Amino acid sequence: MEDSTCITASSLSVDENGNGGPMFFFAHVFSLGWYFIIKFLLREYKLVCTKYRSENTLGKTMNVEIEQKHTRKFRWDHYIYYRLDYHLSTNPHAKPNLLLGLTFLLIEIGSVLLFFASPPNQTMSSTIWIAWTYVADPGTHADAEGAVVRLISFGITLGGMLIFALTIGIVSEEIGEKLDDMKKGRARILENDHILILGWSKKCLTIIQQLALANENEGGAVVVVLADQDKESMESQLTNASDESPAIDDDLIPVGDSRTNDKISPSSSLRLLGTEVLFRSGNPLLEHDLHRVSVSTAKAIICVSADVTDESSADVSDSKMLRQVLTLKAISAARLLNCHVVVEIQDIDNSDLIHLVAPKFTEVMCSHDIIGRLMIQVARQPGLAFVLEELIGFEGSEFYMKEWKQLVGKTFREITVRFDNAVPVGICSGLGQNSARLNPDNSYVIKEGDKILVLAEDEFSYTVNDGSYDATLGNEDLSSVLANWTPLLKKEKLLFCGWRRDMADMIKELDLSVSAKSELWLLNTIPTQDRQELFRDGGHKDELQVENLVIKNVVGNPNVRRNLEKLHDLDVTGKPTGETATLDEFDSLLILADIANENDTQAADSRTLACLLLMHHVQKEILDKRKEQAVMKFRSGLTKNNSSLQLHERGKIQFYDGISYNIRPPISEILDVRTRRLLQVADCEGYAYGYVMSNQIVSSAIAQVAQDRRMNSVLGEILSANGNEIYIRDISRYIEVGKDTTKELRTMSFWDIALRARQHNESAVGYKPFKLKYVDCGKLLLNPPNKSVVREWTPGDVVFVISLS
């Protein structure tokens, strides 16, 4: 008893150094706790009094009607609930503070009750500790003695269990919110030299694929996507694209069939090849969200435009791109942006705004303009689609720039044969946006600091050879060869099926490429009276003026057979002019993804595929009819000679009595890569000679510019009527391949042909043998292997060159 009395006395006393004992410590804790609780309650009470006084003042100064209308007495429980909701909504620490306050009150009240209910030898500090043990561990109250003590202990224990449950709930909720934030893409990204994609559209998966191919030799790259979409949805799209498998198995191909699975049905599955893709949800227009994805340390930024369906939505999308550039410019002004920005827009007329705002760090690319110019080139040169698809993408050979000290002082003609695994096509003389120069003169001398622009599989796959190949072999006189070479027709007749938003821009571009009095027939469902207004874009553009083209308007559905069998020209009022045409009269046929289904890729491709098959069938009927007429003419003895019929390359039917008919394969615009499989299965001329994978080509071009901003001017020149383009030249332009030519004269290497092409100021980049289809040429189309090995060139072989005309 004396021991306990001594312990109690020491707990209440102060030691000789002036320091308090346990009771002194607990007194400080209690005082601090009560201070915060009373302070909070007083603040809430003052707020209640203020509201009460304002209500009384309002009642005294205004009439009764207004008082009844604008004032109301609230119950205390309602007000407490209202204030509790307010604090929980506005204060992020309200939940733990509330839990801490409840715990403190429970221990305080419980310890006081235990102090009065316990024997006299119990101190206040010991009852506080006992109350805490009851709150923290429900099993400790089992040792309590006495009915009153046990009842108090039971109450404290129940309160402790409630507090423990609240604690578990709050901790669990906080952890869940953090995990949800991470799952929803709100966490910060810490990366350097990554490629940042702002926005999300149907082109993004192809852009990611091309970036993965471009960085395959470096072990992959880091691609970060920030878009105002759900992170899980974007990740699901990427996963689904990566899980797709080829539609036709190799085992289903008959033994001995020369076709391979990748030719019949190339896999459309997305291959990351070591590239890591990170998604974040947020608004790309906000600087806070941009800093969350480490915009200041990115290697390149790609601003992806949203998918649009008409001119109005195109302007809205481009206005968002303008604001996006302004946001990035604000970051750049603070010297926090050290990379170039690739901006995709939908209307070429809006490109000047982007250049005006940020000309130094932006590269503007108009997706519709790229597709339009590409389709014009492909339509006029069947087969060119395969070359351009390999050129713009990273699957085969693409553009690379590198400086070679060994070539300084050499002329551009001399370096034509200095790369075994690459094809030189230009020079880059600086770091500016327009520093790359395609197809320079033969006499251009390589200077110190000049970079050679080549076509190669990757930047590590080629090097300079020893220069042992004789570059003088291409100096032969080609006058006899040119005497037998037949240039392209001067006057052309083209057919466009469908309507695009940028039809006026396509027509202007085509007008620069064709000769005078060439005809363009437009077959679509839009009335002729409305077409002029669409050309003017609702007053945003000037009247469509053409110099070389004569436009013919045909109203009808290209997916209806009778509209394809014979085309009737209509004037601006919709009345027939009496002029008609059939498909065999056209030099070029182009099937466009109609604006009505532009945003639905499957619907657009379905209509394109149906139109392609109908055209192919109508052309076949016309061909059979011409053949039958020719055979009847031959049997009646009306032909000028006794020769038989011959089917030439490009489907051109030539009769030896001098009559010829053009059956050109139509070129179709495809939006979904999976539609390419259906073209292969259909096995029609449209697949054999070309199609335009519009979304894939635009995505590939954007990826190339993201890797090297100088590629924007190079690709822009190749796809434009002003400057160097890719042309398909017949081999007869460079070598005599007639029947009377000996085999020795027809035997040359690709380098010999390339040197002869330099006499025309052309850069030869590949070739196609007559006996091979475009889909079977593989690496021969661009940067062919074994350039120094001789081969026998035959009539019908073609060479692909980069030339001004």
Side-chain angles (χ1 to χ4, degrees):
M1 187 66 182
E2 291 181 358
D3 293 339
S4 65
T5 305
C6 294
I7 293 174
T8 303
S10 64
S11 65
L12 296 172
S13 63
V14 179
D15 62 20
E16 60 183 3
N17 296 325
N19 298 323
M23 189 62 183
F24 185 76
F25 170 76
F26 284 117
H28 275 284
V29 173
F30 279 141
S31 300
L32 190 62
W34 281 113
Y35 168 76
F36 285 112
I37 293 176
I38 293 173
K39 182 180 178 180
F40 173 76
L41 294 176
L42 285 176
R43 186 178 60 187
E44 292 296 319
Y45 177 75
K46 289 180 180 180
L47 183 62
V48 174
C49 293
T50 302
K51 288 181 175 294
Y52 181 77
R53 284 195 298 267
S54 63
E55 291 175 358
N56 291 338
T57 304
L58 182 64
K60 294 178 181 179
T61 56
M62 295 186 178
N63 55 49
V64 178
E65 181 180 355
I66 297 179
E67 180 182 357
Q68 292 177 353
K69 181 177 181 180
H70 294 280
T71 62
R72 180 182 176 184
K73 301 295 182 179
F74 295 100
R75 288 169 46 185
W76 276 100
D77 56 341
H78 290 174
Y79 184 78
I80 293 174
Y81 180 81
Y82 164 71
R83 294 302 296 172
L84 183 63
D85 177 74
Y86 169 78
H87 287 293
L88 291 175
S89 302
T90 57
N91 189 355
H93 307 293
K95 292 180 181 179
N97 289 340
L98 176 62
L99 184 63
L100 184 62
L102 292 176
T103 305
F104 179 81
L105 289 176
L106 181 61
I107 295 176
E108 281 270 334
I109 297 173
S111 62
V112 172
L113 294 177
L114 285 176
F115 179 76
F116 288 107
S118 299
N121 62 342
Q122 290 288 350
T123 63
M124 191 66 185
S125 60
S126 62
T127 57
I128 292 175
W129 178 254
I130 293 172
W132 159 248
T133 59
Y134 290 167
V135 172
D137 185 4
T140 57
H141 76 287
D143 298 332
E145 297 181 358
V148 178
V149 174
R150 288 182 177 178
L151 181 62
I152 297 173
S153 303
F154 180 72
I156 297 174
T157 302
L158 287 180
M161 295 174 63
L162 177 61
I163 289 175
F164 181 77
L166 291 175
T167 303
I168 296 297
I170 292 175
V171 172
S172 176
E173 183 180 359
E174 289 294 327
I175 296 176
E177 288 179 357
K178 294 296 182 183
L179 292 177
D180 288 341
D181 287 343
M182 297 175 64
K183 187 180 295 184
K184 293 178 180 179
R186 297 172 183 170
R188 186 175 180 180
I189 286 180
L190 302 177
E191 291 288 348
N192 292 311
D193 292 331
H194 58 287
I195 300 174
L196 177 59
I197 299 177
L198 302 179
W200 185 260
S201 70
K202 54 191 175 185
K203 305 183 188 71
C204 287
L205 291 177
T206 310
I207 293 176
I208 294 173
Q209 174 68 91
Q210 294 299 319
L211 293 175
L213 290 169
N215 294 276
E216 180 181 6
N217 292 330
E218 299 178 2
V222 177
V223 178
V224 179
V225 180
L226 174 65
D228 194 11
Q229 292 193 21
D230 184 62
K231 174 177 177 283
E232 294 180 342
S233 175
M234 294 185 289
E235 289 177 338
S236 176
Q237 293 182 48
L238 179 67
T239 303
N240 293 336
S242 302
D243 292 341
E244 288 187 9
S245 57
I248 299 178
D249 194 359
D250 286 333
D251 297 335
L252 300 180
I253 301 177
V255 178
D257 198 326
S258 60
R259 300 173 298 174
T260 59
N261 187 33
D262 59 340
K263 293 176 183 176
I264 292 181
S265 179
S267 173
S268 60
S269 61
L270 190 147
R271 298 170 296 152
L272 294 180
L273 304 174
T275 294
E276 184 179 359
V277 184
L278 306 175
F279 293 94
R280 290 295 181 268
S281 295
N283 190 348
L285 302 177
L286 300 180
E287 289 190 37
H288 170 74
D289 288 344
L290 290 175
H291 287 298
R292 194 156 50 85
V293 292
S294 299
V295 64
S296 57
T297 59
K299 180 174 67 174
I301 300 175
I302 301 175
C303 301
V304 181
S305 178
D307 300 324
V308 299
T309 56
D310 52 34
E311 290 292 343
S312 60
S313 55
D315 291 336
V316 172
S317 177
D318 290 348
S319 65
K320 290 183 179 179
M321 288 295 101
L322 177 62
R323 182 173 179 178
Q324 181 71 79
V325 172
L326 288 173
T327 305
L328 294 173
K329 185 178 181 180
I331 299 176
S332 177
R335 297 183 179 180
L336 297 176
L337 192 66
N338 301 310
C339 63
H340 67 283
V341 181
V342 184
V343 183
E344 180 199 5
I345 61 175
Q346 296 292 336
D347 194 338
I348 189 62
D349 296 328
N350 297 325
S351 61
D352 293 337
L353 289 174
I354 307 297
H355 289 302
L356 182 65
V357 170
K360 293 183 179 180
F361 65 83
T362 57
E363 293 293 336
V364 182
M365 305 187 70
C366 181
S367 55
H368 258 64
D369 184 61
I370 293 174
I371 298 170
R373 289 187 291 176
L374 180 66
M375 295 192 69
I376 290 173
Q377 290 190 13
V378 170
R380 299 179 66 231
Q381 300 185 81
L384 187 61
F386 292 96
V387 181
L388 291 175
E389 185 177 351
E390 184 173 356
L391 173 69
I392 297 178
F394 284 97
E395 289 87 351
S397 295
E398 56 276 347
F399 292 110
Y400 292 99
M401 298 182 188
K402 189 182 295 185
E403 182 180 357
W404 299 95
K405 300 291 185 181
Q406 309 93 304
L407 301 180
V408 174
K410 303 289 184 181
T411 64
F412 187 77
R413 185 185 183 281
E414 291 175 334
I415 70 171
T416 301
V417 295
R418 294 303 303 272
F419 297 97
D420 294 332
N421 299 314
V423 176
V425 295
I427 300 294
C428 183
S429 303
L431 298 176
Q433 294 171 272
N434 300 315
S435 58
R437 179 183 175 187
L438 280 172
N439 192 31
D441 296 333
N442 289 329
S443 58
Y444 181 87
V445 179
I446 310 300
K447 304 179 182 62
E448 189 78 25
D450 283 354
K451 295 183 178 180
I452 311 299
L453 178 64
V454 302
L455 283 172
E457 289 191 5
D458 59 70
E459 58 180 331
F460 306 109
S461 65
Y462 69 100
T463 186
V464 177
N465 58 31
D466 56 5
S468 60
Y469 196 87
D470 188 3
T472 63
L473 295 177
N475 293 332
E476 298 88 347
D477 184 14
L478 299 182
S479 57
S480 59
V481 177
L482 293 177
N484 298 324
W485 182 72
T486 303
L488 295 175
L489 296 176
K490 294 183 178 180
K491 183 180 177 181
E492 298 181 51
K493 196 170 185 178
L494 305 97
L495 172 63
F496 285 3
C497 295
W499 187 274
R500 286 170 54 92
R501 290 188 294 103
D502 59 344
M503 183 66 78
D505 297 326
M506 287 185 63
I507 294 176
K508 289 179 181 179
E509 187 73 19
L510 179 61
D511 187 60
L512 299 175
S513 305
V514 299
S515 302
K517 296 183 179 180
S518 295
E519 294 183 3
L520 173 61
W521 290 63
L522 302 177
L523 171 60
N524 51 73
T525 57
I526 298 177
T528 56
Q529 300 90 332
D530 299 337
R531 296 185 185 184
Q532 293 300 320
E533 185 65 23
L534 291 175
F535 286 146
R536 289 191 294 268
D537 188 17
H540 293 90
K541 296 181 179 180
D542 297 332
E543 193 79 23
L544 179 62
Q545 299 290 338
V546 292
E547 296 181 1
N548 300 320
L549 283 173
V550 179
I551 300 179
K552 306 289 184 179
N553 293 294
V554 183
V555 178
N557 189 346
N559 293 92
V560 177
R561 181 184 179 85
R562 65 175 180 274
N563 294 330
L564 295 174
E565 292 177 342
K566 180 172 286 190
L567 285 72
H568 300 270
D569 179 34
L570 305 177
D571 59 17
V572 293
T573 62
K575 297 181 180 179
T577 62
E579 189 173 356
T580 61
T582 53
L583 295 183
D584 61 309
E585 300 177 20
F586 292 98
D587 301 295
S588 303
L589 301 99
L590 198 57
I591 304 175
L592 306 172
D594 198 270
I595 188 175
N597 305 103
E598 186 179 10
N599 209 32
D600 188 347
T601 57
Q602 294 188 4
D605 286 356
S606 298
R607 295 181 66 85
T608 299
L609 183 60
C611 183
L612 177 63
L613 294 174
L614 282 174
M615 273 191 175
H616 182 59
H617 192 262
V618 172
Q619 286 180 323
K620 186 175 182 300
E621 287 188 348
I622 294 175
L623 179 62
D624 293 340
K625 185 176 180 181
R626 301 300 187 191
K627 281 183 178 181
E628 184 179 351
Q629 291 177 352
V631 170
M632 293 178 61
K633 202 173 182 181
F634 172 77
R635 290 177 178 176
S636 61
L638 297 179
T639 53
K640 297 179 181 179
N641 52 54
N642 294 325
S643 301
S644 59
L645 306 179
Q646 183 179 1
L647 179 63
H648 283 286
E649 179 72 31
R650 301 189 195 177
K652 188 173 183 178
I653 307 304
Q654 175 72 47
F655 301 103
Y656 280 86
D657 58 359
I659 305 175
S660 63
Y661 302 96
N662 261 335
I663 303 294
R664 283 293 187 104
I667 306 299
S668 54
E669 178 186 2
I670 301 300
L671 302 179
D672 192 341
V673 66
R674 291 169 292 187
T675 308
R676 178 167 53 182
R677 301 175 182 173
L678 303 180
L679 288 175
Q680 296 168 325
V681 173
D683 197 21
C684 60
E685 295 294 324
Y687 175 71
Y689 287 95
Y691 48 86
V692 177
M693 296 292 305
S694 55
N695 286 336
Q696 181 173 354
I697 289 178
V698 170
S699 302
S700 302
I702 291 175
Q704 281 217 25
V705 179
Q707 291 292 116
D708 189 341
R709 66 180 304 181
R710 292 168 293 186
M711 288 298 101
N712 194 15
S713 60
V714 173
L715 296 177
E717 182 177 355
I718 286 179
L719 297 178
S720 174
N722 300 321
N724 288 275
E725 302 177 44
I726 295 184
Y727 291 93
I728 301 177
R729 305 294 197 198
D730 193 89
I731 189 61
S732 60
R733 180 176 172 86
Y734 313 104
I735 187 175
E736 294 186 36
V737 290
K739 292 183 177 181
D740 300 332
T741 306
T742 61
K743 181 177 180 180
E744 289 74 13
L745 294 177
R746 297 196 305 267
T747 303
M748 290 185 180
S749 68
F750 175 78
W751 270 345
D752 297 334
I753 300 299
L755 291 171
R756 291 196 170 199
R758 290 308 309 168
Q759 295 192 37
H760 303 282
N761 274 337
E762 298 173 346
S763 298
V765 296
Y767 67 93
K768 185 192 83 69
F770 171 71
K771 295 182 179 179
L772 288 180
K773 294 183 179 181
Y774 280 94
V775 294
D776 299 326
C777 286
K779 295 183 178 180
L780 297 180
L781 295 178
L782 287 178
N783 185 27
N786 305 320
K787 300 177 180 62
S788 61
V789 178
V790 296
R791 66 178 300 272
E792 182 180 356
W793 301 86
T794 60
D797 291 351
V798 293
V799 180
F800 309 114
V801 300
I802 296 178
S803 176
L804 283 172
S805 61

